Amino acid sequence: MGDIERAVALLRQGELVAFPTETVYGLGADASNPAAVAKIFAAKGRPQDHPLIVHLPGVEHLDRWAREIPEKAYALAEAFWPGPLTLILKRQPNVPDAITGGQDTVGLRVPKHPLALELLKAFEGGIAAPSANRFGHVSPTTAQHVRDELGEGGGSHVAMILDGGPCQVGIESTIVDLTGERTAILRPGMASAFDLGRVLGRMPDTPTGDAPRVSGSLAAHYAPRTPLALLQPDVVIFAVREAMAANQRIGIIAPMACPLSDERIVWRRIAGEPAGFAHDLYALLRELDGLHCARIVVQKPPQSESWRAINDRLQRAVAGSGAG
Ligand code: TXA
Ligand code: MG
């Protein structure tokens, strides 16, 4: 039996299968099976009232899950799917409460990774999948990240992990709410407000402090266990000197080259543009987290619109970092 056939069989039996998407790895369950969906919450340690995204094989599945679908939903689907955009729509009555957290809405997305699409097409249904990490932690961008964090096979909640290599985008999808009068971005992603605005003919609202309930919008999220600081370029070097003076190991993520050579400095260069930065950010945070640095410092990116999603994740990672 091939990997995809085995994964489909496991999903049909109500087991969890982790799979790659272009954004991050997802922890998948049959979205129409509440007992299977319950296993996701157990595996992640995630509160039950946090809704899950349902992944679909194609836009033609949209009306099985959503009702009263506005034209703009089809316009966005046509422009971005398969791709890193999740649409929040009114749900069909048959969508399990376990998926929606009891809300009248459902999040839907067609992912772009070839293995994800192959799996969804073979499964011929919706696969509920949050990011395949423990609740609040950094999302996984490789199969090994998932294995390290949740395990695989006997004794673990995860029956199987499909390995599709490193994720291309690297941070979670943009979430856009289409259920109200106004179109609103609930979680920024690499599909930007400008990208959506071009398709919609007007800019969507962007997140404010009191955005609706999206677990990724809790102040602390996407976080490493090591204390994390975001510092302006000219301050990074002071943090390094301070760590040296205290004889501590420090992890640095910055576009510039390391100006000093010392074995206590774990310096990782990252791209100076958003796509490359997003691609590597989570893997680098995980790597440095695993090296038991006293502190991780990320050089603060620019505050412009094209960096919005990255700055959003970095701020939440700082807020949640250092929790053991
Ligand atoms: O890129 C992604 O979106 C990844 C990949 C695996 O597709 N998935 C992901 O799932 O990030 P998760 O569960 O870690 O984050 C999904 C977010 C959650 O914050 C959840 O609260 C929100 O989507 N969400 C899901 N359904 C919703 C709904 N009906 N209304 C508002 N927010 C919703
Ligand atoms: Mg998540």
Side-chain angles (χ1 to χ4, degrees):
M1 209 191 303
D3 281 350
I4 294 287
E5 284 168 282
R6 197 155 70 82
V8 167
L10 287 165
L11 288 170
R12 295 230 163 93
Q13 289 161 29
E15 299 296 335
L16 301 185
V17 174
F19 63 97
T21 81
E22 79 283 28
T23 58
V24 300
Y25 274 70
L27 182 60
D30 178 353
S32 62
N33 177 348
V37 172
K39 291 185 183 169
I40 290 178
F41 291 90
K44 282 187 61 98
R46 172 160 159 155
Q48 300 278 347
D49 61 345
H50 284 242
L52 299 173
I53 295 171
V54 178
H55 298 69
L56 304 176
V59 67
E60 67 282 1
H61 281 247
L62 201 56
D63 58 8
R64 301 186 197 178
W65 300 87
R67 65 176 209 276
E68 299 167 38
I69 303 168
E71 248 336 288
K72 60 188 174 183
Y74 288 107
L76 289 172
E78 165 132 354
F80 292 96
W81 285 358
L85 180 68
T86 297
L87 306 181
I88 306 295
L89 293 163
K90 289 190 182 152
R91 67 148 148 178
Q92 287 289 5
N94 59 304
V95 181
D97 280 334
I99 297 285
T100 65
Q103 303 184 68
D104 190 36
T105 58
V106 62
L108 300 164
R109 159 167 132 79
V110 179
K112 191 170 185 180
H113 195 287
L115 265 188
L117 283 172
E118 212 186 314
L119 177 68
L120 285 158
K121 288 194 167 127
F123 185 65
E124 295 179 312
I127 300 179
S131 51
N133 52 277
R134 298 280 302 167
F135 182 65
H137 194 217
V138 181
S139 297
T141 54
T142 68
Q144 191 58 45
H145 294 162
V146 182
R147 215 168 281 127
D148 291 345
E149 187 151 344
L150 299 176
E152 179 180 20
S156 134
H157 291 281
V158 184
M160 179 182 182
I161 303 171
L162 282 170
D163 190 344
C167 301
Q168 187 209 327
V169 175
I171 65 173
E172 305 80 359
S173 62
T174 305
I175 301 181
V176 63
D177 184 358
L178 300 176
T179 62
E181 280 287 293
R182 303 175 67 92
T183 303
I185 292 182
L186 302 184
R187 179 176 72 183
M190 296 309 280
S192 73
F194 287 131
D195 297 335
L196 271 63
R198 265 194 292 276
V199 174
L200 295 166
R202 73 176 279 190
M203 282 286 279
D205 295 344
T206 41
T208 57
D210 57 357
R213 191 173 60 207
V214 183
S215 78
S217 70
L218 296 176
H221 220 85
Y222 311 112
R225 293 175 175 100
T226 310
L228 176 70
L230 265 182
L231 299 180
Q232 297 290 356
D234 52 347
V235 186
V236 170
I237 197 65
F238 290 104
V240 171
R241 290 194 196 286
E242 201 175 79
M244 295 306 89
N247 194 24
Q248 287 178 334
R249 177 182 278 185
I250 185 168
I252 306 282
I253 300 174
M256 59 187 170
C258 179
L260 303 168
S261 161
D262 187 296
E263 62 189 14
R264 292 164 297 184
I265 309 172
V266 188
W267 190 289
R268 293 289 176 268
R269 289 187 77 177
I270 193 163
E273 43 75 38
F277 194 108
H279 180 274
D280 292 340
L281 176 63
Y282 287 166
L284 291 177
L285 285 176
R286 264 177 196 274
E287 187 204 349
L288 295 185
D289 212 12
L291 294 176
H292 307 291
C293 300
R295 187 177 191 211
I296 302 171
V297 168
V298 178
Q299 181 180 314
K300 196 170 185 173
Q303 294 302 296
S304 57
E305 185 59 33
S306 58
W307 288 91
R308 180 191 285 268
I310 289 164
N311 284 312
D312 170 82
R313 301 306 189 279
L314 284 172
Q315 276 149 22
R316 294 175 206 290
V318 168
S321 69

